[in-house]
């Protein structure tokens, strides 16, 4: 069986290279001929044929246009371009979770504006704040590693944060106080959770390891696994990283990642998510 690992043309970090290497080593153990392809390697005129395609591709990027073109020519992507699109925009993510009754914190979406106008009044946000209470969380629709997530404590901070965002889409969300600085990252492949870690940060409301968070192995209970798997199914994912909040005596979905960085999970648990993904690929072609 032959496949491509499709990665971003411009990303060149040690962290990314490490994950790609993990995929390549896992491919050998799974008897898969895997070749790394940069998205720039596949830059062809719109409508042009990509030629001889492999049996599958692990699409480790968010280039929706390229992904859909490859699918139109018959290449099976893990994950699909549609599922990546649903995860990439947080507004759409929560809309899909709602359709499938997957729990998440109370969320408002910003109205559409335009780059030449911006949010020239914030009445909509003030109304949302009345329902959400302070502090509340603002998340830009596009973002990774917690870098576009803000904790807002008052109207002045609300206005300043929206000015900082400019004209981009964002959501306003209830702040789950009992999950401040902590969550569970669940790596789902197919119909099951294959590895989970507890992430915590005593100095930040975000638990991301990249923001200074710490981690330890975590044993999921049945309800947590059920919600994590349901979130991936709602978004059509073959695999994903689901961040779960401790929401009182229940749990809710914070975010869902279509191409989760799993090196931290490996360092913490010894579980190589890349091998689980490739074995899933082999079972589902």
């Amino acid at each position: 069986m032959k496949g491509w690992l499709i990665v971003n043309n411009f990303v060149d970090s040690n962290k990314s290279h490490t994950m790609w290497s993990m995929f390549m080593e896992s491919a050998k153990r799974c008897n898969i001929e895997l070749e790394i392809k940069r998205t720039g390697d596949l830059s062809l005129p719109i409508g042009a044929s990509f030629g001889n395609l492999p049996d599958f591709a692990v699409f480790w990027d968010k280039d929706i246009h390229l992904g859909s073109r490859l699918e139109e020519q018959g290449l099976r992507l893990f994950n699909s371009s549609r599922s990546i699109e649903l995860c990439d925009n947080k507004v759409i993510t929560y809309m899909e979770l709602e359709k499938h009754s997957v729990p998440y914190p109370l969320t408002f979406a910003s109205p559409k504006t335009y780059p030449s106008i911006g949010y020239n009044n914030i009445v909509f946000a003030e109304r949302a704040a009345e329902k959400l209470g302070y502090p509340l969380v603002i998340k830009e629709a596009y973002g990774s590693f917690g870098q576009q997530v803000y904790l807002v404590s008052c109207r002045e901070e609300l206005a300043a944060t929206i000015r900082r965002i400019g004209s981009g889409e964002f959501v306003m969300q209830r702040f789950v106080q009992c999950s401040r600085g902590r969550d569970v990252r669940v790596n789902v492949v197919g119909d099951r959770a294959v590895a989970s870690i507890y992430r915590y940060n005593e100095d930040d409301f975000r638990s991301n390891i990249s923001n200074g968070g710490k981690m330890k192995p975590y044993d999921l209970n049945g309800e947590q696994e059920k919600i994590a798997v349901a979130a991936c199914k709602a978004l059509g994912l073959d695999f994903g990283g689901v961040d779960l909040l401790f929401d009182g005596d229940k749990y809710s979905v914070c975010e869902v990642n279509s191409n989760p960085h799993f090196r931290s999970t490996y360092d913490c648990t010894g579980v190589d998510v890349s091998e689980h993904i490739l074995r899933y690929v082999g079972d589902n072609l």
Side-chain angles (χ1 to χ4, degrees):
M1 185 165 56
K2 296 182 179 181
W4 288 345
L5 174 62
I6 299 176
V7 302
N8 187 271
N9 194 66
F10 309 104
V11 171
D12 200 33
S13 66
N14 289 333
K15 187 173 183 179
S16 293
H17 279 282
T18 298
M19 286 199 304
W20 303 342
S21 296
M22 291 173 71
F23 268 115
M24 299 304 289
E25 291 301 315
S26 292
K28 294 176 184 177
R29 294 192 293 271
C30 296
N31 296 315
I32 293 173
E33 294 183 35
L34 192 64
E35 180 182 0
I36 293 178
K37 287 281 189 181
R38 294 262 188 180
T39 52
D41 300 333
L42 301 170
S43 182
L44 299 174
I46 292 176
S49 171
F50 291 99
N52 292 326
L53 296 173
D55 300 306
F56 73 92
V58 175
F59 203 81
W60 208 260
D61 195 39
K62 297 181 180 181
D63 192 331
I64 308 304
H65 304 302
L66 174 60
S68 62
R69 289 173 62 198
L70 289 166
E71 288 171 323
E72 287 171 1
Q73 295 191 25
L75 184 60
R76 171 69 160 93
L77 300 186
F78 299 83
N79 287 301
S80 71
S81 61
R82 177 57 178 164
S83 63
I84 294 170
E85 182 178 26
L86 293 176
C87 289
D88 195 28
N89 184 317
K90 293 180 178 62
V91 177
I92 303 175
T93 298
Y94 296 121
M95 290 171 63
E96 289 298 312
L97 295 180
E98 174 66 27
K99 290 178 185 177
H100 293 84
S101 301
V102 178
Y104 61 93
L106 179 63
T107 300
F108 289 79
S110 64
K112 182 175 179 61
T113 187
Y114 300 93
S116 60
I117 299 175
Y119 297 101
N120 55 19
N121 75 73
I122 63 166
V123 173
F124 72 94
E126 293 170 337
R127 289 173 179 166
E130 291 176 2
K131 299 290 186 181
L132 297 169
Y134 288 109
L136 60 85
V137 174
I138 289 183
K139 299 178 181 178
E140 296 185 43
Y142 298 95
S144 301
F145 308 114
Q147 295 301 309
Q148 293 78 27
V149 180
Y150 316 98
L151 187 63
V152 171
S153 300
C154 60
R155 185 198 179 282
E156 290 71 26
E157 288 185 9
L158 181 69
T161 301
I162 294 174
R163 284 196 301 271
R164 176 179 178 179
I165 292 172
S167 60
E169 296 176 81
F170 64 91
V171 298
M172 296 163 287
Q173 202 165 62
R174 177 176 65 88
F175 178 53
V176 183
Q177 182 66 46
C178 63
S179 204
R180 183 186 187 103
R182 67 189 188 115
D183 67 9
V184 177
R185 162 57 64 87
V186 186
N187 288 276
V188 174
V189 180
D191 293 322
R192 66 190 186 96
V194 300
S196 304
I197 58 174
Y198 177 75
R199 306 187 302 183
Y200 58 101
N201 191 328
E202 297 175 356
D203 301 317
D204 198 302
F205 75 98
R206 299 162 296 183
S207 63
N208 305 73
I209 304 301
S210 57
N211 287 333
K214 299 177 182 179
M215 60 185 173
K216 58 184 178 181
Y218 185 85
D219 292 326
L220 293 176
N221 61 40
E223 184 65 16
Q224 289 170 317
E225 180 166 13
K226 178 181 177 182
I227 293 171
V229 171
C232 286
K233 291 298 181 185
L235 298 165
L237 294 168
D238 297 297
F239 58 86
V242 182
D243 299 336
L244 292 181
L245 300 173
F246 298 90
D247 200 345
D249 59 352
K250 299 180 181 180
Y251 311 97
S252 61
V253 174
C254 178
E255 293 183 11
V256 184
N257 304 274
S258 61
N259 51 350
H261 284 235
F262 50 73
R263 179 55 197 254
S264 296
T265 295
Y266 176 76
D267 291 339
C268 185
T269 67
V271 176
D272 188 341
V273 176
S274 68
E275 184 167 342
H276 282 278
I277 291 172
L278 290 178
R279 293 198 181 282
Y280 171 86
V281 169
D283 291 339
N284 287 273
L285 277 180

